[in-house]
Amino acid sequence: LKKGDALQILNARLKSGLDGRLEIHVDGRSKATILPSTPESLTSISPTFAKIREIRPNQRDLDLLVSVLKVQQPTEIQRGTGQNVKVARLLLGDETGVITASFWDDKADTALGVKERDTLLIEEASSREWRGEISVTVGRSSNVTVNPNKETSIESKVVVTELKDLTETSSTVAVEGTLVEQPTQRQIQTAKGETVDLTETVLGEGSTQRRIVFWRSQAQEIAKIPTGSRIRIVGALPRRGLTSEIELSSGPMTYIEV
């Protein structure tokens, strides 16, 4: 059985999967036959792709057609089991939003040949939520095609959410506005004992203002931008702050455009 084959299945069972989607289960009572040719009724079927805005935690078998916004080259990390594995992180976008993807093991090498504005066709990915952020996982069972063809390429355009429309969510967003407050810099110590840079500032658009917290390298970058500058922040996560107001927090794949 290979991709593109026409398959006839008899006496199968329909069950709800772990992610709530319906699945066809073929067992000893079922009969599966690969058809010698594709019936006319199936020739017009075209692939469907999940939209970033629709992705929820713990989904499987995700097919995505996305544009590359940012690439982090592969690094080697150690799992809790002591095993060393490679991982590369990419920030991806489509016409509905932006999301971080982790490419593991052999798929991490794919990132070596990927650049910003490339189109990726990702098949058989999964999703997870960690520290309040939904991301995509691309592993050994996934397939990745870089710039598959002109018909499936998409425009590398970032969808911007207005500051007044931000809600507490597990999805990363892109926002635009003007820096209306002088950035405040300090260092804090994490639960792991690591000392990291942190910069806080306020982004404004019209009558709406949002507090933004930048970490590590982004903290140093935003501190250099003058108050009054117009900026775009891509890949930030909306959270509810100590005052219960919605604020934004940077992540490893967040980037700033002036």
Side-chain angles (χ1 to χ4, degrees):
L1 185 64
K2 62 182 184 299
K3 183 178 178 179
D5 283 343
L7 188 64
Q8 181 187 72
I9 302 174
L10 303 176
N11 201 27
R13 291 182 298 149
L14 199 60
K15 296 179 62 177
S16 180
L18 295 176
D19 58 2
R21 295 190 302 170
L22 291 176
E23 298 177 345
I24 297 173
H25 284 243
V26 182
D27 55 25
R29 297 173 299 174
S30 309
K31 182 179 179 181
T33 306
I34 301 176
L35 301 180
S37 60
T38 303
E40 186 176 348
S41 59
L42 299 180
T43 55
S44 60
I45 294 178
S46 57
T48 58
F49 303 106
K51 299 301 180 183
I52 289 175
R53 183 176 56 191
E54 301 168 350
I55 296 176
R56 298 294 180 264
N58 304 317
Q59 287 184 289
R60 298 179 299 164
D61 306 323
L62 288 171
D63 293 342
L64 304 167
L65 186 65
V66 290
S67 177
V68 178
L69 304 177
K70 182 179 179 181
V71 181
Q72 181 189 80
Q73 292 302 303
T75 58
E76 192 171 274
I77 64 172
Q78 190 175 69
R79 285 180 169 156
T81 59
Q83 178 189 15
N84 291 328
V85 294
K86 286 191 297 185
V87 60
R89 291 184 173 87
L90 285 76
L91 189 66
L92 308 174
D94 65 12
E95 70 273 20
T96 68
V98 295
I99 197 167
T100 298
S102 297
F103 285 52
W104 293 89
D105 302 312
D106 61 315
K107 298 304 182 298
D109 294 330
T110 303
L112 294 171
V114 172
K115 59 185 183 298
E116 294 176 12
R117 299 182 179 275
D118 278 346
T119 295
L120 296 185
L121 172 59
I122 303 173
E123 300 170 288
E124 302 296 318
S126 60
S127 63
R128 60 173 294 198
E129 184 174 1
W130 189 66
R131 292 185 177 178
E133 178 183 352
I134 295 175
S135 63
V136 170
T137 298
V138 182
R140 291 187 183 276
S141 61
S142 307
N143 294 312
V144 180
T145 306
V146 183
N147 298 321
N149 53 61
K150 291 184 179 180
E151 287 72 24
T152 56
S153 63
I154 63 173
E155 184 180 359
S156 181
K157 182 179 180 181
V158 176
V159 178
V160 175
T161 302
E162 295 190 20
L163 292 180
K164 64 181 179 64
D165 295 330
L166 287 176
T167 59
E168 187 176 16
T169 176
S170 298
S171 301
T172 51
V173 298
V175 296
E176 292 179 350
T178 302
L179 288 178
V180 298
E181 187 176 287
Q182 184 68 31
T184 302
Q185 295 178 265
R186 56 192 173 98
Q187 288 187 322
I188 65 168
Q189 194 170 54
T190 67
K192 295 182 178 180
E194 179 188 9
T195 300
V196 299
D197 293 320
L198 181 149
T199 299
E200 300 177 65
T201 187
V202 175
L203 192 70
E205 180 72 6
S207 60
T208 303
Q209 294 187 352
R210 300 290 185 188
R211 177 175 174 267
I212 304 177
V213 181
F214 292 88
W215 300 82
R216 296 178 171 83
S217 61
Q218 290 98 340
Q220 300 171 19
E221 183 179 356
I222 193 67
K224 299 175 183 177
I225 301 176
T227 303
S229 299
R230 179 82 179 175
I231 65 171
R232 173 185 287 180
I233 305 167
V234 183
L237 186 65
R239 300 180 185 271
R240 199 167 293 279
L242 296 177
T243 62
S244 297
E245 295 292 328
I246 298 297
E247 59 185 42
L248 289 163
S249 179
S250 73
M253 297 303 294
T254 304
Y255 67 90
I256 305 165
E257 295 178 339
V258 181

